[in-house]
Amino acid sequence: ISALVGILVYIILGPCLNVKMAHLFGVITFLANYIPNIGAIVATLLPFPILILDDQISNSTVILAIALPIGVHTIVGNFIEPKVFGDTMELHAVVVLLSLSFWYTVWGIPGAILAVPIMAVIRIVVSNIKHPYALVILRLLEGKLPGTAEFHS
């Protein structure tokens, strides 16, 4: 997913908007995308000094060069990544977002980076506990709400 974001940012900045060093900003976006939230902000604002100092770039291009990568990061970070992480680790997308918020509050950036692996470990541990409460927690982590048919399966 990070490679896709880096390529999209490169395509937006390079061929579409003719920003100098677009390939470098694509690689930086790829690397920064591994840091949730903060990486997207850094990767979006990093080209700003070059955009401002280049006299061949119009004001509308500067606005597009900031707005379009923000749109890419917003869509990927809020919709695509939670869905993909949730499906591969059998966690609901809302659980992924809530765990990201919780662990970021507790440990800051390291907590945000470790949020999904921590929740995956919690899910594995809870799935191996044979207790009715553990089963309820497991179903909630999977996004199966009480009172539905799939909750009791």
Side-chain angles (χ1 to χ4, degrees):
I1 294 176
S2 294
L4 174 70
V5 173
I7 290 169
L8 284 173
V9 168
Y10 163 72
I11 290 171
I12 290 169
L13 294 179
C16 294
L17 298 176
N18 295 322
V19 174
K20 294 176 183 170
M21 297 192 300
H23 59 284
L24 178 65
F25 295 128
V27 171
I28 291 172
T29 300
F30 164 71
L31 296 173
N33 199 45
Y34 286 102
I35 305 170
N37 300 330
I38 305 298
I41 293 169
V42 169
T44 302
L45 295 179
L46 201 58
F48 194 68
I50 290 177
L51 296 170
I52 296 297
L53 296 175
D54 192 353
D55 58 351
Q56 298 175 349
I57 296 178
S58 67
N59 289 339
S60 61
T61 303
V62 171
I63 292 170
L64 286 173
I66 298 297
L68 292 176
I70 286 174
V72 168
H73 286 290
T74 301
I75 291 170
V76 170
N78 292 324
F79 300 106
I80 296 173
E81 283 181 346
K83 180 70 175 147
V84 170
F85 290 155
D87 289 347
T88 57
M89 296 183 195
E90 296 180 11
L91 295 170
H92 195 270
V94 174
V95 172
V96 173
L97 289 173
L98 289 174
S99 70
L100 177 67
S101 300
F102 175 76
W103 291 111
Y104 180 78
T105 303
V106 173
W107 288 335
I109 293 174
I113 294 170
L114 296 172
V116 175
I118 289 171
M119 289 308 295
V121 168
I122 289 172
R123 187 202 171 283
I124 292 168
V125 169
V126 168
S127 68
N128 289 320
I129 297 174
K130 305 299 180 206
H131 191 275
Y133 291 145
L135 184 62
V136 171
I137 292 171
L138 178 65
R139 296 289 188 246
L140 289 174
L141 289 175
E142 293 172 346
K144 298 174 182 174
L145 298 175
T148 61
E150 60 184 13
F151 183 80
H152 298 289
S153 63

